[in-house]
Amino acid sequence: MTETKPLDGIGVIRQEHRNLAKVLKFLEAEAQRYQTTGAAPDFGLLDSVFAYVDGFLNTQHHPKENLYLFAELRLRRPDIAGTLDLLERQHRDGALVLARARAAAKSLMDTDDRAAFRQAVARYCQFEFDHMRLEEDTVIPAAEESLTAADKAVMDRAFTDNHHDPLFGAGRSAEFERLFEFVRARCATGGVGNEEGEEP
């Protein structure tokens, strides 16, 4: 599950989607485990999940998509402007849905309402899975077909220069080391599915 350096901007986007999917599936599995087995919630681990998703997704991944992928596609593919508008709204709204899941985790400490936490996690994860699916099925194919070589060169530089995933990348942040080991172990045991034949 160690990250390899992508060759282009679209490769980065796809790789980041795969990495996020692993983390979200892990979060869903944890929420389910807490509810169905009565296991004690690991609040430190949950904090790491939310910190990674909020810090990486909302401050790096989404802003770059807005600035370098969506902006160029608006020029080349006005026919999908409505889809791009929706995705940009989802970039903004996702932070609120995430905040609700994070609040449910904090509430879990006081109320032990595991069903409410699982529901909040499920809502957030489904939101992000649906969002990524729309990008993968509509926006990325449109970019591959319609962006010029110059457009792609700008996007490639934006996504590959100084590209660093603090969880899956080389030189992983110490604060995410424990989360990485848990996600890797869950992948190895089949608790979180790998995609495209990736090794855990």
Side-chain angles (χ1 to χ4, degrees):
M1 198 162 55
T2 301
E3 180 182 81
T4 56
K5 180 109 175 136
L7 298 177
D8 57 28
I10 289 175
V12 172
I13 292 170
R14 285 181 165 141
Q15 183 181 75
E16 291 177 352
H17 285 175
R18 290 194 298 270
N19 289 344
L20 177 63
K22 290 186 181 78
V23 174
L24 295 179
K25 289 175 184 177
F26 172 77
L27 177 61
E28 283 187 314
E30 285 295 282
Q32 179 178 356
R33 186 171 70 88
Y34 299 156
Q35 184 178 2
T36 59
T37 71
D42 188 330
F43 293 105
L45 198 61
L46 293 176
D47 283 345
S48 293
V49 170
F50 291 127
Y52 170 72
V53 173
D54 192 26
F56 185 66
L57 187 66
N58 293 327
T59 65
Q60 295 187 53
H61 179 81
H62 286 163
K64 285 184 178 181
E65 285 182 331
N66 290 344
L67 287 171
Y68 299 103
L69 175 60
F70 297 174
E72 294 300 328
L73 274 174
R74 287 184 184 281
L75 299 175
R76 308 298 177 192
R77 291 291 301 271
D79 58 305
I80 63 168
T83 299
L84 298 174
D85 290 342
L86 172 61
L87 290 169
E88 288 189 350
R89 284 197 303 274
Q90 290 176 343
H91 284 178
R92 296 190 298 270
D93 294 345
L96 177 59
V97 186
L98 174 63
R100 290 172 180 157
R102 206 167 190 171
K106 291 181 179 178
S107 179
L108 184 62
M109 298 180 70
D110 299 321
T111 66
D112 200 37
D113 190 343
R114 296 166 187 234
F117 174 62
R118 185 179 178 185
Q119 289 169 2
V121 165
R123 281 194 294 269
Y124 174 66
C125 291
Q126 192 60 55
F127 178 92
E128 292 295 355
F129 286 135
D130 290 345
H131 174 80
M132 289 189 287
R133 188 176 301 112
L134 182 57
E135 289 181 338
E136 296 275 351
D137 291 348
T138 302
V139 174
I140 289 178
E144 291 175 325
E145 294 168 3
S146 305
L147 294 184
T148 67
D151 295 336
K152 290 179 180 178
V154 171
M155 191 174 72
D156 291 349
R157 287 194 297 272
F159 277 91
T160 61
D161 288 359
N162 300 315
H163 176 259
H164 175 62
D165 185 320
L167 177 59
F168 293 94
R172 182 167 37 259
S173 302
E175 64 179 308
F176 294 123
E177 187 65 39
R178 183 167 176 259
L179 175 60
F180 177 82
E181 293 301 329
F182 270 85
V183 173
R184 182 171 66 175
R186 192 64 59 87
C187 286
T189 59
V192 174
N194 291 333
E195 299 184 20
E196 299 182 5
E198 291 181 334
E199 293 296 328

